């Protein structure tokens, strides 16, 4: 297992287009998290899954954002009708249910909306 | 709003010196974690301390937790240029499924 994998690493898109990111977590981890990070800030929570169930979604997340984890393995994050304010690093992390362990993060997908 | 706040925002030291970063938080926690992030990369988990623990060590890292003051500190001893990075604390609240991150301390270690 090579850790948490995110694709693509970089995405440049025009305003108004839809984008989809993929995250492959560590196979033994049943929790998967999406965070967003802008320059100089800490990661901001977006949503998380336990297996295939989406257990929490940030109130900051507009209806343009949707995430899925259909079989409890990989996850996708889709942003519809992108806006310039969506430009950020999108980070995926996975963890055990056991809360004595921290998160393993992927390298992130950097989104630039032009 | 973020749960944890790191202090200072930026820290610059010489190689070999110790670096101390602090984190304060607002609500009851289950655990507190520290992460490192190199520029443009994902975060790397360094150490987790549970709410019933007061101190934890890992190599050159020492973390303390004071739940009465709702604060934690991360000490890096004998710093190296390779320790240059941003350091974030994250808190796992008692009734929440996710951890909430602060805005980090940027550490620069000069060779």
């Amino acid at each position: 297992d090579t850790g948490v994998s995110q694709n693509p690493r970089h995405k440049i898109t025009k305003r108004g287009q839809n984008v989809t990111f993929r995250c492959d977590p560590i196979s033994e981890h049943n929790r998967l998290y999406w965070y967003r990070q802008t320059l100089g800030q800490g990661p901001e929570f977006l949503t998380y899954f336990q297996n295939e169930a989406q257990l929490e979604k940030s109130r900051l997340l507009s209806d343009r954002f949707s995430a899925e984890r259909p079989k409890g393995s990989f996850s996708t994050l889709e942003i519809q009708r992108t806006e310039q304010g969506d430009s950020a690093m999108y980070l995926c992390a996975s963890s055990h249910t056991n809360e004595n362990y921290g998160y393993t993060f992927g390298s992130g997908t950097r989104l630039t909306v032009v | 709003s973020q749960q944890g706040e790191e202090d200072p925002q930026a820290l610059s030291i010489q190689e070999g010196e110790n670096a101390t970063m602090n984190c304060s938080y607002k609500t009851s926690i289950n655990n507190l974690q520290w992460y490192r992030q190199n520029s443009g990369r994902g975060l790397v988990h360094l150490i987790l301390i549970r709410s019933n623990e007061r101190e934890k060590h890992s190599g050159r890292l020492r973390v303390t937790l004071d739940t009465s003051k709702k604060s934690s500190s991360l000490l890096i001893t004998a710093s190296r240029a390779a320790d240059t990075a941003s350091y974030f604390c994250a808190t796992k609240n008692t009734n929440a499924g996710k951890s909430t991150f602060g805005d980090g301390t940027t550490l620069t270690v000069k060779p």
Side-chain angles (χ1 to χ4, degrees), chain B residues 53-107:
Chain B
E53 297 175 314
R54 291 297 165 257
E55 187 170 313
K56 211 162 178 181
H57 297 255
S58 176
R60 294 184 295 114
L61 306 180
R62 174 179 168 250
V63 169
T64 61
L65 178 64
D66 186 334
T67 53
S68 66
K69 294 181 179 177
K70 291 187 168 59
S71 68
S72 173
S73 67
L74 169 68
L75 168 69
I76 304 174
T77 60
S79 62
R80 304 166 183 168
D83 294 328
T84 294
S86 293
Y87 291 82
F88 295 90
C89 70
T91 51
K92 166 71 173 61
N93 294 352
T94 305
N95 296 318
K98 85 281 186 182
S99 291
T100 304
F101 288 78
D103 286 334
T105 293
T106 299
L107 173 67

Side-chain angles (χ1 to χ4, degrees), chain A:
Chain A
D1 199 337
T2 55
V4 177
S5 176
Q6 290 189 247
N7 288 289
R9 288 295 310 276
H10 303 276
K11 178 72 177 178
I12 300 174
T13 191
K14 291 184 178 179
R15 192 170 45 186
Q17 297 293 304
N18 298 346
V19 294
T20 300
F21 309 141
R22 175 175 170 130
C23 173
D24 288 90
I26 291 176
S27 55
E28 307 91 72
H29 290 176
N30 53 13
R31 285 194 175 174
L32 185 148
Y33 309 82
W34 286 100
Y35 284 81
R36 176 174 64 189
Q37 187 179 28
T38 53
L39 198 62
Q41 305 292 312
E44 177 183 38
F45 172 75
L46 295 179
T47 189
Y48 94 94
F49 294 83
Q50 179 152 316
N51 301 313
E52 65 274 12
Q54 187 173 18
L55 295 188
E56 189 173 348
K57 187 175 175 181
S58 170
R59 285 171 291 179
L60 300 173
L61 219 58
S62 75
D63 291 343
R64 297 183 297 105
F65 287 72
S66 63
E68 292 183 340
R69 195 182 182 197
K71 297 182 180 178
S73 57
F74 73 92
S75 174
T76 57
L77 177 68
E78 181 183 18
I79 309 174
Q80 296 181 327
R81 304 181 305 281
T82 52
E83 302 171 356
Q84 284 190 320
D86 297 331
S87 294
M89 175 79 89
Y90 289 83
L91 295 165
C92 175
S94 66
S95 75
H96 291 286
T97 307
N98 184 328
E99 295 179 345
N100 292 323
Y101 297 90
Y103 295 177
T104 302
F105 277 86
S107 295
T109 293
R110 180 166 296 285
L111 173 66
T112 303
V113 182
V114 296

